[in-house]
Amino acid sequence: MSTATANKVFSERIGRIEVSATLAITAAALKLKSEGVKLSDFGAGEPHFATPRHIKNAAIEAIEKNFTRYTNVAGVPEVRRAVVDRHACDFGSNYAPDECVFTTGGKLALFNAIQVLVDHGDEVILPVPYWVSFKDIIQYAGGTPVYVESREDENFRVTAKMIEAAITPRTKAIVLNTPSNPSGAVVSPEDLESIVRLAHKLGIYVLLDECYVYLNFTGKIVSGGSFTDCKEHVVVLGSLSKTYAMTGWRAGFALGPKPIIAAMSKLQSQSTSNTASMVQQASIAALNQSQECVAEMRSDYIKLRDQVLAGFKTIPGLTCTVPQGAFYVYPNVSAFIGKGGVTSASDLAAKLLSEAHVVVVPGEAFGTAEHIRLSYAVSGDVIDEGVKRMREYFAKLG
Ligand SMILES: Cc1ncc(COP(=O)(O)O)c(C=O)c1O
């Protein structure tokens, strides 16, 4: 082995990505918590609800019945059938079970889809603000994110026109996340259809992160998979994490053209293999049994969103778009940057934590410099206390 090779520890590709930007703030928050500080925690992007009882029971039963062995890499036929049936029922799609791979969380579905589609030099269109992992996953594959800025005064709306303007001969894929983490913006059904049709015409892949698809508050819920005549160029990336309060279970899926799903399964066969077998059984229960829990959680999120927005109205200088889905608010904090020694949104997030004991995620993680993200998947009491602390802290900044 040559000295140069021996001295080189890390691959070039691991240097292309960063540690999740939320990690520093999470570590600081954990430290304060361990010292006994009571935090108003709006950091975590996960439901505060418990996983519904019937889903837990299905996993317990699977374990008791020793359903604890390896399964097919892409998931047992029943779980893939449950995914495609639920999707067909809710969105009018027509996927077959072999157009579905069940994955260890929605993030892995996204990761694998990008790994099998994106090569060095390929461009991937990514609307801003974006969920933090998109950029890194694209870069890890060697692709170049091409950012499309949405406008705050248009509620961070992403339109077909904006996407079209960013297409070049090197565009391989478009990543869309609707409802969006972090802004809660929803791509209108008309724009979604135009984007999917345009991409299909041009031979570009639309990677639709539909992790929050059931947390759409507009009443008009569509999926990229609804446009069945374009399915050759659509990959739907789904997750049970937020829909069924199952973040820790790691259950997600992709729906797409058979060759893409086969390539993703091949990649999965050389990494995680199948999703935990009892998690597959719990997921079958989640997808096949009553969906009442989903509707209940959605109506609670709408109430919590309205509560946090009403609270923000009591904070002079803070402005916020009205999210149409997911469970995040993305207020603009530019009025406070430059005051009281605050130099940036990141600095503000650090000071909100150390001085007001409020956990938020700075906008830099999502590609914008003047915002902070709060998850309102918390109790109403946490919202009231957190908003009070923010109001007092911002008032002190003058
Ligand atoms: C936009 C988006 N996509 C995907 C995921 C991943 O979800 P999971 O891997 O838990 O299914 C998240 C989680 O926060 C998300 O916000």
Side-chain angles (χ1 to χ4, degrees), residues 45 104-108 110 131 134 177 179 181 209 211-212 238-242 247 250-252 328 373:
T104 304
K107 195 185 254 187
L108 188 66
L110 173 76
W131 177 52
F134 292 138
N177 170 219
N181 175 4
D209 182 331
C211 160
Y212 299 98
S239 169
L240 280 72
S241 288
K242 323 284 171 160
T247 45
R250 315 308 303 130
Y328 307 101
R373 188 199 76 177

Side-chain angles (χ1 to χ4, degrees), residues 56-121:
K56 293 198 267 200
N57 284 350
I60 293 165
E61 195 183 323
I63 294 170
E64 294 298 350
K65 288 187 172 162
N66 294 318
F67 193 79
T68 52
R69 295 176 180 264
Y70 292 135
T71 71
N72 311 18
V73 167
V76 293
E78 294 81 1
V79 77
R80 285 184 282 158
R81 168 55 67 194
V83 170
V84 302
D85 284 354
R86 165 97 352 254
H87 208 266
C89 171
D90 294 342
F91 304 111
S93 62
N94 60 2
Y95 291 103
D98 60 1
E99 294 172 308
C100 171
V101 54
F102 205 73
T103 57
T104 304
K107 195 185 254 187
L108 188 66
L110 173 76
F111 186 88
N112 286 353
I114 290 181
Q115 293 304 317
V116 307
L117 289 174
V118 174
D119 248 328
H120 287 264

